[in-house]
Amino acid sequence: MAKKDRMTGVLSPVVTPFGKDYAPDAARFVRHCKWLLANGCSGLAVFGTNSEANSMSVAEKTNLLEALVAGGVPAATLMPGTGHCALSDSIEMTRLAVKLGCAGVLMLPPFYYKGVSDEGLYRNFAEVIERVGDERLQLYLYHIPPVAQVPISLALIERLLKKYPGQVAGVKDSSGEWANTKAMLDAFAKDGFDVFAGSEVFLLDNMRHGGKGCITATGNVNPGPIDNVYRKWRSAQADTLQAGITATRKIVQKQPMIAALKAIIAHFGNDPQWKTVRPPLVELTREQEAVLIPELKAAGFAMPGLAG
Amino acid sequence: MAKKDRMTGVLSPVVTPFGKDYAPDAARFVRHCKWLLANGCSGLAVFGTNSEANSMSVAEKTNLLEALVAGGVPAATLMPGTGHCALSDSIEMTRLAVKLGCAGVLMLPPFYYKGVSDEGLYRNFAEVIERVGDERLQLYLYHIPPVAQVPISLALIERLLKKYPGQVAGVKDSSGEWANTKAMLDAFAKDGFDVFAGSEVFLLDNMRHGGKGCITATGNVNPGPIDNVYRKWRSAQADTLQAGITATRKIVQKQPMIAALKAIIAHFGNDPQWKTVRPPLVELTREQEAVLIPELKAAGFAMPGLAG
């Protein structure tokens, strides 16, 4: 894939709907993915942190990914998470993503052992790239130290990019530290390494410094206004538009993020089943919902067309 | 299973041999398990942290567990690790363990999300117990906050034990804090909740306060002397014997533990293939080996019969 075809814009780490028995609900998943693409997302980072991806088996994720493509979601919009603790799982999911024609994959480092060396992490990513052995693979590294606890260092990126310049495509930086995102941009953007901010709070800054967009939790519920910042980042209104999406983000993130996103979709989509999260997560309490929903309404928040 | 049949003594979290291509090596695995049982281990906590369990897929672990039983390792000696980030994986591996007749399972909490609630962890363990739905299940909770970062609190144990007194059998405490192990003993040992120290360093203390033994990394290489402390803990020599195994432990843990255990087995078993670890781990350097092996030899360390 030529670099010009790479993903840009606003990607949503799509939340995964579950039934009352915690089984993944492919029909609701396809429906939500289509709503996101119709309402501002240029891509879908399914199986991310906000997707409860690590709370699902490889078989469950395989079924969901195949259901998306079979259900008419273009593979060119997909950047599934394929990084697992087990090298064999990472290879299996990455192979599937490439086979289905996904635009890229977003790879967590193996995250069980802590304090591992860059050499060990290099071997992990290199082994996946070599075993998949397909030029079409576009690998985005997923740096999220607050959760994974295992970071992707600049030195590791440099080494991987040097060895696999055609396949190491970029990064999602969920460190929450703009200084780190900026360091990635300064070091590697000129080499065609695409940096996505891990939150829309940094979207405008990221665009102004050579980044390619953002992959953000709240992309699940507020894709239109976030996409508007992406499209108008060079305009005079950019800072004002950015302030608007940052304000919405701040309302949502007062609550536990994943449960909050699902509660919002359940409310504005009039579909209570969406509230279900898999253990170890728990849904919002009534009290948390009673804060979240009115605050969003007071801010003029809407999810056009979601309730069908 | 009546409580009198529960496991006691020294269990080894068995290291997993890999081929040069990182494929699990079932033949070497069965052989090492039999050596351990013949040399002091009363049980095998296969698929623990030291087994690189989370670096393997469920399918790979299924094959290994079936190979052990087919290869003549008694299921009554087995306490496989069955806790995963994905509820569905935990259920699948736990079901398999019960079906094969394993004496127990050792369950990590789901460890991707950090700062999760006890309610969410309770739901995870309860869901596994309910879905497996088999009275034979003996579940040991695995508390290892330095690695998993998600702790098993006393309040969580209390709640699980109250709801599932026949199935919540005990804990492995790898906190490294004796005060925590003691608190677990004081609170629950009287209710038939079996506490295993996560290191032989605490074996004698654990036995003196009502514990049942230890599940320890170095059980992979030093099972005889550790078992000797277990068998003689009421004797006059107990403190001297404990000092001996603690000294050996201290030599080993100067190096990265898993790579060190494999280097020791490779050296004393004259089988270099054992050194292989899966990414993100790396094998010991020559320099690390050149410190470890002579120190062990100088301390009189041996692995009788390992080299065949």
Side-chain angles (χ1 to χ4, degrees), chain A residues 207-246:
Chain A
M207 296 313 298
R208 285 174 174 164
H209 291 83
K212 298 294 179 180
C214 67
I215 305 174
T216 181
T218 34
N220 272 288
V221 295
N222 199 32
I226 302 173
D227 180 55
N228 206 30
V229 173
Y230 173 72
R231 285 185 292 106
K232 298 182 182 162
W233 73 269
R234 292 174 192 270
S235 77
Q237 319 142 264
D239 286 288
T240 306
L241 294 170
Q242 175 68 54
I245 62 172
T246 296

Side-chain angles (χ1 to χ4, degrees), chain B residues 14-15 17 25-37 44 63-73 274:
Chain B
V14 187
V15 286
D25 180 335
R28 275 188 175 81
F29 189 52
V30 172
R31 207 154 64 228
H32 189 56
C33 284
K34 288 183 174 176
W35 183 86
L36 291 167
L37 291 174
L44 304 170
N63 289 340
L64 285 176
L65 196 59
E66 291 176 342
L68 280 186
V69 174
V73 173
W274 259 105

Side-chain angles (χ1 to χ4, degrees), chain A residues 21-22 49 52-57 60 85-89 108 110-114 116-117 119-121 123-124 127 131 144 146-149 258 278-283, chain B residues 21-22 49 52-57 60 85-89 108 110-114 116-117 119-121 123-124 127 131 144 146-149 258 278-283:
Chain A
D21 60 354
Y22 297 127
T49 298
E52 298 170 81
N54 291 307
S55 301
M56 293 188 280
S57 69
E60 289 170 327
C85 292
L87 177 63
S88 33
D89 287 339
L108 277 171
F111 53 84
Y112 182 63
Y113 297 109
K114 309 304 187 290
V116 296
S117 64
E119 170 65 22
L121 293 175
R123 289 185 194 179
N124 171 76
E127 193 72 15
R131 295 281 184 111
I144 181 168
V147 184
Q149 308 272 329
I258 299 168
R278 270 196 175 181
L281 302 185
V282 295
E283 66 283 2
Chain B
D21 60 354
Y22 297 128
T49 298
E52 299 171 78
N54 291 307
S55 301
M56 293 188 281
S57 68
E60 288 170 327
C85 292
L87 177 63
S88 33
D89 288 339
L108 277 172
F111 53 84
Y112 182 64
Y113 297 108
K114 309 304 186 291
V116 296
S117 65
E119 170 65 23
L121 293 174
R123 290 185 194 179
N124 171 76
E127 193 72 15
R131 295 281 184 111
I144 182 167
V147 184
Q149 308 272 332
I258 299 168
R278 269 195 176 183
L281 302 185
V282 295
E283 66 281 2

Side-chain angles (χ1 to χ4, degrees), chain B residues 242-275:
Chain B
Q242 175 69 55
I245 61 173
T246 296
T248 302
R249 169 88 183 197
K250 292 202 165 158
I251 294 171
V252 179
Q253 72 185 18
K254 283 184 203 172
Q255 311 298 340
M257 179 59 80
I258 299 168
L261 296 172
K262 288 187 156 182
I264 294 168
I265 295 168
H267 179 86
F268 289 91
N270 194 24
D271 184 3
Q273 185 56 51
W274 259 105
K275 292 184 191 177

Side-chain angles (χ1 to χ4, degrees), chain A residues 21 23 26 47-48 56 66 80 99 109 165 199 201 251 257 276 284 307:
Chain A
D21 60 354
F47 313 148
M56 293 188 280
E66 291 176 341
K99 190 187 89 177
S199 163
V201 168
I251 293 171
M257 179 59 79
T276 304
L284 293 194

Side-chain angles (χ1 to χ4, degrees), chain B residues 54-302:
Chain B
N54 291 307
S55 301
M56 293 188 281
S57 68
V58 168
E60 288 170 327
K61 288 181 275 197
T62 296
N63 289 340
L64 285 176
L65 196 59
E66 291 176 342
L68 280 186
V69 174
V73 173
T77 67
L78 294 171
M79 188 195 285
T82 64
H84 296 76
C85 292
L87 177 63
S88 33
D89 288 339
S90 300
I91 292 169
E92 181 177 344
M93 278 300 296
T94 305
R95 265 192 193 133
L96 174 72
V98 171
K99 189 188 90 178
L100 291 175
C102 295
V105 301
L106 185 56
M107 272 194 70
L108 277 172
F111 53 84
Y112 182 64
Y113 297 108
K114 309 304 186 291
V116 296
S117 65
D118 269 6
E119 170 65 23
L121 293 174
Y122 176 83
R123 290 185 194 179
N124 171 76
F125 290 111
E127 193 72 15
V128 173
I129 294 169
E130 300 277 355
R131 295 281 184 111
V132 172
D134 193 311
E135 299 264 309
R136 293 174 297 171
L137 171 62
Q138 296 291 292
L139 189 153
Y140 296 82
L141 299 161
Y142 187 6
H143 178 60
I144 182 167
V147 184
Q149 308 272 332
V150 175
I152 308 283
S153 71
L154 295 181
L156 175 61
I157 295 173
E158 185 172 13
R159 192 170 162 201
L160 284 166
L161 199 53
K162 191 168 179 184
K163 176 79 177 184
Y164 304 106
Q167 305 193 284
V168 175
V171 73
K172 174 185 180 186
D173 183 9
S174 294
S175 67
E177 296 172 16
W178 168 245
N180 188 67
T181 310
K182 176 107 178 3
M184 288 176 169
L185 287 162
D186 290 348
F188 308 116
K190 64 181 182 311
D191 302 322
F193 183 78
D194 295 346
V195 177
F196 289 84
S199 164
E200 75 272 32
V201 168
F202 304 110
L203 176 55
L204 191 52
D205 286 332
N206 193 42
M207 297 312 298
R208 284 173 174 164
H209 291 83
K212 298 294 180 180
C214 66
I215 304 174
T216 181
T218 33
N220 272 289
V221 295
N222 199 33
I226 302 173
D227 180 55
N228 206 29
V229 174
Y230 172 73
R231 284 183 294 106
K232 297 181 181 164
W233 73 268
R234 292 173 192 273
S235 77
Q237 320 142 262
D239 286 287
T240 307
L241 294 171
Q242 175 69 55
I245 61 173
T246 296
T248 302
R249 169 88 183 197
K250 292 202 165 158
I251 294 171
V252 179
Q253 72 185 18
K254 283 184 203 172
Q255 311 298 340
M257 179 59 80
I258 299 168
L261 296 172
K262 288 187 156 182
I264 294 168
I265 295 168
H267 179 86
F268 289 91
N270 194 24
D271 184 3
Q273 185 56 51
W274 259 105
K275 292 184 191 177
T276 306
V277 290
R278 269 195 176 183
L281 302 185
V282 295
E283 66 281 2
L284 293 194
T285 62
R286 278 169 187 267
E287 293 70 24
Q288 288 171 318
E289 274 193 55
V291 172
L292 174 65
I293 304 297
E295 278 198 63
L296 284 171
K297 286 182 176 169
F301 174 86

